[in-house]
Amino acid sequence: MKSIIFILLWIVPITSTEWLNDFELAKLEARQNNKKILLNFSGSDWCAPCIKLKRDVFEQVSFSEFATANLVLLAADFPRHKKNRLSDEQTSHNERLAELYNPQGQFPLTLLLDSDGKVIKTWEGFPGGSPEEFVNDIKGHLHEK
């Protein structure tokens, strides 16, 4: 039985990339660990490019491994379906982030920020390409202030 579980885990890798939903906590973690913040604005239950970005990039092992070592991930989700509704507090928090970084309401929108919240790079919509290409693009900006 153990060998079957091992084989399944080997065939279907599990990613454990953690996305935070608190900006102040993300900035603190970024400062403490000398990392950049990757902020993603998403409509997780209605935005087809957002769903594709999550599935084809963020959930891939190559992105997950890179992100765990180099980034603090911050999600600002704006679901529409009642069953996926966020708490009023989280909704308000995400709306404040949108006022600062996404006033046009672009979905998806992904930003690379320094630990103070200064924008380093912005990707509008689905960045296209493979997860590895997206990782390489991020790598090119990791040492910018």
Side-chain angles (χ1 to χ4, degrees):
M1 182 67 170
K2 288 181 184 178
S3 61
I4 292 173
I5 293 172
F6 175 76
I7 290 170
L8 288 174
L9 291 175
W10 182 71
I11 293 172
V12 182
I14 299 172
T15 59
S16 61
T17 308
E18 181 184 355
W19 287 82
L20 301 177
N21 58 15
D22 182 294
F23 188 41
E24 294 305 318
L25 181 60
K27 290 192 300 186
L28 178 64
E29 186 174 323
R31 277 187 213 108
Q32 289 176 343
N33 296 302
N34 195 28
K35 293 182 177 183
K36 302 291 191 250
I37 299 167
L38 191 72
L39 168 59
N40 179 251
F41 287 93
S42 176
S44 65
D45 63 3
W46 59 270
C47 169
C50 300
I51 295 165
K52 181 176 175 53
L53 178 60
K54 179 180 179 188
R55 181 191 66 225
D56 293 353
V57 176
F58 296 149
E59 291 181 349
Q60 298 304 308
V61 173
S62 57
F63 175 83
S64 180
E65 289 174 349
F66 169 77
T68 300
N70 297 284
L71 302 170
V72 174
L73 301 174
L74 178 62
D77 191 21
F78 291 84
R80 287 188 180 162
H81 299 294
K82 191 173 186 174
K83 68 179 181 177
N84 299 326
R85 184 168 182 218
L86 303 174
S87 69
D88 290 343
E89 180 182 352
Q90 187 63 53
T91 299
S92 177
H93 177 271
N94 291 355
E95 287 172 350
R96 285 190 306 272
L97 278 174
E99 288 172 11
L100 284 171
Y101 296 107
N102 192 7
Q104 293 80 26
Q106 172 79 32
F107 290 95
L109 180 70
T110 308
L111 300 99
L112 185 64
L113 311 172
D114 69 13
S115 61
D116 294 321
K118 179 182 171 218
V119 177
I120 298 169
K121 171 74 175 163
T122 302
W123 295 269
E124 294 181 4
F126 183 79
S130 69
E132 295 79 16
E133 289 171 322
F134 188 54
V135 163
N136 286 334
D137 195 6
I138 295 170
K139 283 180 183 178
H141 300 283
L142 281 183
H143 302 292
E144 294 179 26
K145 272 272 185 191

